[in-house]
Amino acid sequence: MSKQALLIIADGMGDNPIPDLNGLTPLEYALTPNLTALAKQGLFGNVHPVQPGVPVGTDVGHLAIFGYDPYDVYTGRGPIEAYGAGIELLPTDIAFRGNFATVDDEFTVLDRRAGRINTGTHELAEALDGIVLSNGTKVIVRPLSAHRVAVVLRGENLSEHVSTTDPGTAKEGETVQKSIPLNEESDAIHTADAINELTEKMFSVLSLHPVNAERSLQGMPPANMILLRGIGREIQAPKITTTLGIRGACIAGDRTVLGIARMAGFDVYHRDSFTAGHDTDFIAKADLAIEQLKSGYDWVVLHIKSPDLAGHDCQPMIKVSSAIKLDMMLGHILRHIDLNECFVGYTSDHSTPCMRRDHSGDPVPTFFAGGNVRSLPLENFGEKYVTHGSLNNLTARDFFRIQMDHLGVVAKLGA
């Protein structure tokens, strides 16, 4: 393959105008000379993650970025988290994405992310890992990034047709939900009972754990519950790397993204300094991306999670800061690569508007530049500046194909 490509994903960076930012979005407000200069050299526009007006999760958004049709392959967030945690799923397993959370004795959710806990989670997960429920179901628990955790139920007669226990985003004050069967099959009844038993056991074990005793002494919320959501079975999908004959590398701190990349056939790279938070080491990620390009990978994906967190927490200036740090990271990369040999792309998996505190169906600013890629004039980079671009109103899968076509790996349709 004569050329390579680097794709930078700014998770949740897309936003809407914010009064405190003079009616600009965080990306429009931030000083991003490198993003702007690069976007001017290529294709740009606002790209829909899946289809117009459809909010998507991080999992679905990244499946599309990696070239999959989520409507064909998606079975739930849980299996993806399990891949990210290194769990080899069996066809009979059911998997969940979970949050360490803080609840009171009545199971009222006080903090859905336990103060965004980022230490002690390995010990908490280990205390739950291996629990065997009364019906013989084994529980597998693995920590992910920060408050996130993968939970797998392994046993006989398990069903994904049950409700989960998480009351939902920004719904502190509501109680942990009881799981109920979604049909009248005995397997669903059996599974709902197992989940409810697990909820009780998690509270009992975690409430007495030394990690939480220490957190309470320090005035931090205890992580005494795991809220379960995203139930699903193993995803059956071909590896994109095999289908297209490319070597891919993914650099990320977020285990969800690493899980999708591993499923797609990528080699994944994670270091302790690559967090899924605002403290992630931008330059170390950039240096590793440069290293992997030099080592011969065809497509390198570099993921940054922090903009999404700022959107969920309604912190527009933190989002602005993330955009500025990302731009500096890009500047560092550009000093070490040749744009005639390596294309550079930028996108997001979805928008996370600060005023909404959740994902929206808005399209996301995107570009693809380098070499002899077609270009248009551009004043600045951000949501309102790219509306005249040639990528406007395409989807993430369209954008994937455009990148792969420039790498020369998309087969010609017809004779």
Side-chain angles (χ1 to χ4, degrees), residues 392-412:
N392 225 40
N393 292 320
L394 299 183
T395 67
R397 290 188 72 217
D398 295 328
F399 182 52
F400 170 80
R401 284 189 292 267
I402 288 169
Q403 294 170 84
M404 295 303 106
D405 179 48
H406 279 81
L407 289 180
V409 296
V410 177
K412 181 171 66 173

Side-chain angles (χ1 to χ4, degrees), residues 254-284:
D254 185 88
R255 295 287 182 178
T256 304
V257 177
L258 293 172
I260 293 171
R262 183 178 285 115
M263 185 195 80
F266 281 59
D267 294 331
V268 298
Y269 295 91
H270 176 270
R271 295 176 181 169
D272 289 343
S273 64
F274 299 172
T275 71
H278 304 304
D279 59 343
T280 197
D281 192 333
F282 283 78
I283 299 303

